[in-house]
Amino acid sequence: MKKPIKETLLWMFFTKHCLYCNKVVDRKSDVCEDCRENLPIIKDEKCKYCGVEKIRCNCKNHRKGYDGISAPFYYEKNIRESIRLLKFNGKDFIANQLSDDMAESVKSDFKDIVFDMICFVPFSKGNKLTRKYNPSELLAKHLSKKLEIPLKPTLTKLYENENQRNLSMMERIGNVFGVFDVVEDADIKDKTILLVDDVKTTGATLSNCAWILKIRGAKNVYCATVAITPPKKDKK
Ligand SMILES: [Zn+2]
Ligand SMILES: [Zn+2]
């Protein structure tokens, strides 16, 4: 049975939704019980190269194109759902919430670093036609306001590559090689840059973006993502 109009309007304006998964929550809380209990937080101490807790890190300090990465969460449990909402539902309140957590993570992990600018992993022209917005750009916009660092769309994607999702680590590295470049009028010489993306899986995309930024003159590139895929060894 349909709800009466008055009830529907009341529901629309006065119900509160969980900041992470959009489930209706009690008026006194911002986060549902499930999310509060299950947020896959990456706790200190973190490995500065791969961003995960040192006890779970198996990167052996293997350096990528970037100088460090910071993320508040592992890409698992309810954060997977948050990122799905962010990517496909255009839920700006999710970007706002997730960027709050990213800002805290950046402030604590990179407390000694002064950033000159923020940029993000770009969409290709093909992506732009089929998707209304780039989630990495949305996160970067929020983060720029919260951290008071200017946002400069610096990178461009030269052509459409295969989705990284079903590729092996080596295939991913090849798949992103030469895909990105810096826009013509970008002023990045000797700059320290914070590069934003939604999720880090193998780091191949971020690494490639960081390399090209450095080839074009950037001094340092650090990355900020919402989440990092947990290291393989503890996957069941
Ligand atoms: Zn929730
Ligand atoms: Zn590590």
Side-chain angles (χ1 to χ4, degrees):
M1 202 177 78
K2 272 173 106 179
K3 278 183 191 169
I5 187 88
K6 191 177 155 200
E7 208 179 299
T8 306
L9 285 172
L10 282 172
W11 186 86
M12 277 170 69
F13 290 110
F14 296 106
T15 47
K16 245 178 125 180
H17 296 256
C18 170
L19 290 171
Y20 290 99
C21 69
N22 207 21
K23 239 187 270 169
V24 175
V25 289
D26 184 81
R27 289 213 48 77
K28 283 171 265 165
S29 48
D30 294 319
V31 177
C32 78
E33 238 167 74
D34 274 358
C35 286
R36 188 172 300 120
E37 273 170 33
N38 290 312
L39 277 177
I41 297 167
I42 303 177
K43 299 188 189 89
D44 289 334
E45 286 180 50
K46 297 176 186 178
C47 164
K48 72 172 184 178
Y49 301 113
C50 68
V52 310
E53 285 153 78
K54 279 186 179 163
I55 42 166
R56 292 178 80 175
C57 155
N58 58 7
C59 80
K60 301 185 181 81
N61 292 347
H62 176 72
R63 296 295 291 268
K64 301 263 184 186
Y66 44 82
D67 301 282
I69 178 160
S70 169
F73 302 116
Y74 288 110
Y75 185 55
E76 58 187 11
K77 299 181 186 169
N78 40 16
I79 286 299
R80 289 181 84 100
E81 173 61 9
S82 300
I83 289 172
R84 196 190 62 77
L85 288 169
L86 169 76
K87 279 187 164 170
F88 301 106
N89 289 37
K91 301 285 188 194
D92 196 54
F93 73 91
I94 296 261
N96 189 32
Q97 173 60 28
L98 294 175
S99 61
D100 265 352
D101 296 308
M102 287 171 85
E104 289 311 309
S105 179
V106 166
K107 278 192 231 162
S108 118
D109 296 341
F110 300 146
K111 56 178 171 292
D112 302 322
I113 298 159
V114 179
F115 291 103
D116 298 301
M117 53 183 278
I118 288 183
C119 71
F120 52 87
V121 174
F123 258 1
S124 67
K125 287 199 181 83
N127 286 142
K128 274 183 200 155
L129 291 175
T130 52
R131 304 263 295 273
K132 281 191 197 121
Y133 65 99
N134 174 356
S136 306
E137 182 175 358
L138 195 59
L139 290 167
K141 273 184 190 163
H142 282 282
L143 210 52
S144 162
K145 271 186 220 151
K146 285 165 190 174
L147 296 172
E148 298 179 342
I149 304 167
L151 173 68
K152 297 190 177 163
T154 306
L155 289 161
T156 177
K157 202 169 176 185
L158 300 174
Y159 58 88
E160 195 49 56
N161 57 342
E162 208 180 313
N163 191 313
Q164 298 274 79
R165 202 175 306 144
N166 301 316
L167 303 179
S168 70
M169 171 109 156
M170 287 313 284
E171 286 168 335
R172 281 171 185 243
I173 293 170
N175 189 43
V176 288
F177 188 76
V179 168
F180 300 100
D181 204 349
V182 167
V183 294
E184 243 173 55
D185 52 353
D187 174 23
I188 60 168
K189 186 135 185 52
D190 297 325
K191 299 281 194 272
T192 296
I193 300 175
L194 185 64
L195 171 64
V196 174
D197 203 1
D198 48 8
V199 181
K200 177 215 158 198
T201 306
T202 63
T205 301
L206 287 167
S207 210
N208 252 273
C209 289
W211 266 319
I212 195 71
L213 287 166
K214 286 187 177 177
I215 287 169
R216 300 279 183 248
K219 188 165 113 198
N220 292 111
V221 180
Y222 295 85
C223 302
T225 63
V226 174
I228 293 176
T229 303
K232 266 214 176 87
K233 67 177 177 192
D234 54 32
K235 266 188 190 164
K236 287 177 192 98

